[in-house]
Amino acid sequence: QVQLVESGGGLVQAGGSLRLSCAASGLTFGSYAMGWFRQAPGKEREFVAAIHWSGVNIGYLDSVKGRFTISRDNAKNTVYLQMNSLKPEDTAVYYCAASSRITPRGQYDYNYWGQGTQVTVSS
């Protein structure tokens, strides 16, 4: 059974930092592209960042470029999202997801999803 478990969310002031982690099990982690998505209240889920199985970044949401960094450790079956210079508009539930596609294009290309972790940025 595939499991993706996010952690590291919380409440932070604007300008602060958080690092999200997503631990994967039940799949050959090194064969999957990994992505982070987020969903704010009343809004649709949106793509944040993705990384190829090799560690090459696939892309970032424009509004997080230069502030967020996605990385992975295949030995630990874990993907990370380092979030710096956080803004109130970054407040959302953050989800990690795994895709068997080499270069996933959107959320429908992802096979497995975590339960999410809440990130709240106060102004």
Side-chain angles (χ1 to χ4, degrees), residues 19-60:
R19 187 174 84 152
L20 305 183
S21 300
C22 172
S25 61
L27 75 169
T28 306
F29 183 75
S31 298
Y32 282 79
M34 299 298 294
W36 285 97
F37 292 77
R38 68 186 183 186
Q39 187 167 20
K43 295 187 177 181
E44 293 187 354
R45 186 164 57 188
E46 66 178 353
F47 167 81
V48 175
I51 188 166
H52 189 259
W53 61 265
S54 66
V56 174
N57 293 334
I58 294 173
Y60 291 93

Side-chain angles (χ1 to χ4, degrees), residues 41-118:
K43 295 187 177 181
E44 293 187 354
R45 186 164 57 188
E46 66 178 353
F47 167 81
V48 175
I51 188 166
H52 189 259
W53 61 265
S54 66
V56 174
N57 293 334
I58 294 173
Y60 291 93
L61 178 68
D62 284 347
S63 63
V64 308
K65 286 180 180 177
R67 300 188 297 122
F68 290 11
T69 303
I70 188 171
S71 62
R72 65 188 296 160
D73 185 338
N74 288 346
K76 296 182 178 179
N77 288 3
T78 302
V79 62
Y80 305 97
L81 185 68
Q82 178 67 44
M83 305 186 295
N84 298 329
S85 302
L86 282 161
K87 303 175 180 181
E89 51 264 43
D90 295 319
T91 295
V93 177
Y94 283 71
Y95 300 89
C96 74
S99 174
S100 58
R101 292 184 177 266
I102 294 175
T103 308
R105 297 297 184 186
Q107 60 177 311
Y108 299 107
D109 286 342
Y110 287 80
N111 309 88
Y112 304 105
W113 293 83
Q115 293 299 307
T117 186
Q118 176 70 47

